[in-house]
């Protein structure tokens, strides 16, 4: 199986650590970067072109939806999955328009493994 590059974006350091551990448990060879802000995520994505971005919705500065929209313009092939505790209709509509996936917070390992397996299966 090919090695992948994943970017985890969340203003919570603990949430990033948990997501990283869940991915590493399944794919120890994958490259994983972390960003604490949308601005940082946009910068990292422009340099390293992640295969998958796990993106928190509510962050200070540029929020998850706006971050996803900006990254989507330059990297339409990148899988972007929103992590959110409450999926409001407006967020869901914006996410669908951008072609984003959803995972609920708090993130559970089986959910993340199911997502990764579904993205890896053509």
């Amino acid at each position: 199986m090919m090695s992948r590059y994943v970017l985890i974006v969340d203003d919570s350091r603990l949430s990033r650590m948990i997501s990283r551990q869940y991915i590493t448990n399944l794919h120890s060879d994958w490259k994983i970067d972390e960003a604490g802000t949308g601005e940082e995520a946009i910068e990292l994505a422009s340099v390293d072109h992640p295969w998958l971005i796990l993106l928190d919705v509510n962050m200070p500065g540029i929020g998850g939806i706006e971050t996803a929209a900006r990254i989507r313009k330059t990297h339409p092939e990148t899988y972007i999955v929103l992590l959110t505790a409450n999926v409001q209709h407006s967020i869901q509509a914006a996410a669908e328009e951008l072609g984003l996936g959803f995972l609920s917070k708090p993130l559970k390992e089986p959910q993340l493994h199911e997502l990764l397996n579904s993205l890896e299966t053509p």
Side-chain angles (χ1 to χ4, degrees):
M1 192 171 297
M2 112 185 234
S3 182
R4 303 281 189 180
Y5 169 49
V6 180
L7 178 60
I8 301 167
V9 186
D10 199 312
D11 57 321
S12 163
R13 186 170 170 270
L14 180 61
S15 290
R16 292 193 311 266
M17 286 172 47
I18 291 169
S19 295
R20 174 187 284 272
Q21 187 58 56
Y22 289 168
I23 294 168
T24 303
N25 288 348
L26 194 62
H27 297 287
S28 59
D29 60 324
W30 285 11
K31 177 184 176 196
I32 302 170
D33 274 339
E34 298 178 18
T37 66
E39 293 85 347
E40 194 181 348
I42 291 165
E43 190 175 315
L44 284 169
S46 70
V47 174
D48 287 331
H49 311 287
W51 172 71
L52 170 66
I53 300 174
L54 296 178
L55 182 59
D56 186 23
V57 172
N58 297 314
M59 296 183 292
I62 301 175
I65 296 287
E66 179 62 24
T67 299
R70 293 186 190 188
I71 292 171
R72 178 63 78 223
K73 283 180 187 168
T74 54
H75 303 296
E77 74 291 346
T78 298
Y79 293 110
I80 303 174
V81 176
L82 296 178
L83 300 174
T84 183
N86 70 10
V87 182
Q88 298 166 354
H89 180 71
S90 59
I91 290 176
Q92 203 164 9
E96 284 174 19
E97 194 174 305
L98 291 168
L100 309 178
F102 272 110
L103 284 177
S104 61
K105 281 178 115 176
L107 186 61
K108 293 177 180 58
E109 192 165 10
Q111 284 179 303
L112 184 56
H113 288 182
E114 188 177 313
L115 170 77
L116 295 175
N117 288 333
S118 73
L119 295 179
E120 289 232 300
T121 307

